[in-house]
Amino acid sequence: PRHLTPTGVGRRGGRKSPGAVAVPGESSSPRPRGADRFAGDPPVDPFDKYLRRPLDELLVNQGVLNRPKADELVASAVEADEPFSTALLDAAVLTPWDLARLIAVHYQMPAHPLAGYKFEKDLFSGLRPEVLHRYRFVPLAVFGRTRTFAVAEPPSRERLDTLTATLGTSLFFFVAEAPEIQRVLAEHVK
């Protein structure tokens, strides 16, 4: 037997969910992005997807690390003043590709191989070399006002604040393998 909704369209091939009622004059298309926000709501942080869950927490939840080992690697990275991804790779927890793939999937960051990529010198201008080396950011391109970067791990709030203070908020990030980022920085940023 065919199940009918109040609009007369069956669930099995229909467009409406059970109990949905068509309202005359209303479009059945989804609302535009942001239409469900109220005028007084604070704006959405465009970098929220990188900050919701720290990388160490993701690795523990995925069963890649146990909590004590994750804490040990975080402490090691802080002590050495290096990114957490460097501590992970030095400990051989993941291969560079496995780390990049995991970040791409869970943080919705496209992967970008750097081998064979041609870097224009002007991409590095205006960026302090010590910041690029410390945070392991590689500038890739400029599209209008948007600057794109390759990173080995999702950017932290501190890293985002450093970049947005210099370049504004129109930033886009790709994930790349950490050894490739280090190679590019050694070749192009003195």
Side-chain angles (χ1 to χ4, degrees):
R2 187 171 170 94
H3 299 287
L4 299 178
T5 64
T7 61
V9 178
R11 275 190 284 174
R12 292 195 178 121
R15 300 170 308 240
K16 303 271 183 194
S17 62
V21 178
V23 178
E26 269 194 19
S27 169
S28 62
S29 66
R31 288 188 280 182
R33 177 179 260 174
D36 55 346
R37 292 185 41 223
F38 294 104
D41 284 350
V44 175
D45 183 349
F47 304 120
D48 184 54
K49 68 181 179 181
Y50 308 128
L51 305 172
R52 275 187 229 140
R53 176 180 285 173
L55 182 56
D56 65 307
E57 186 180 309
L58 173 68
L59 294 170
V60 169
N61 288 342
Q62 292 293 312
V64 175
L65 289 173
N66 59 35
R67 184 78 258 166
K69 182 66 174 175
D71 292 340
E72 175 188 324
L73 291 171
V74 168
S76 167
V78 168
E79 183 179 314
D81 195 27
E82 64 186 14
F84 178 60
S85 59
T86 302
L88 277 172
L89 296 174
D90 289 349
V93 172
L94 292 167
T95 66
W97 171 244
D98 287 337
L99 177 60
R101 186 180 55 165
L102 183 111
I103 290 168
V105 169
H106 290 282
Y107 291 94
Q108 302 169 351
M109 295 172 68
H112 192 300
L114 300 180
Y117 192 82
K118 300 214 185 253
F119 295 92
E120 299 172 20
K121 290 188 187 269
D122 61 333
L123 289 175
F124 296 90
S125 65
L127 299 168
R128 296 189 338 246
E130 62 274 8
V131 170
L132 293 174
H133 281 285
R134 180 175 184 209
Y135 294 138
R136 309 243 166 72
F137 285 138
V138 172
L140 295 174
V142 178
F143 300 99
R145 293 181 310 175
T146 302
R147 303 240 358 203
T148 61
F149 293 88
V151 295
E153 66 183 75
S156 66
R157 174 52 63 195
E158 175 189 5
R159 294 172 185 160
L160 288 167
D161 289 345
T162 300
L163 280 178
T164 56
T166 306
L167 305 170
T169 59
S170 191
L171 305 172
F172 189 83
F173 298 97
F174 292 88
V175 66
E177 293 182 40
E180 285 298 304
I181 289 175
Q182 290 173 277
R183 179 189 59 78
V184 169
L185 288 173
E187 290 175 4
H188 296 281
V189 181
K190 304 298 178 209

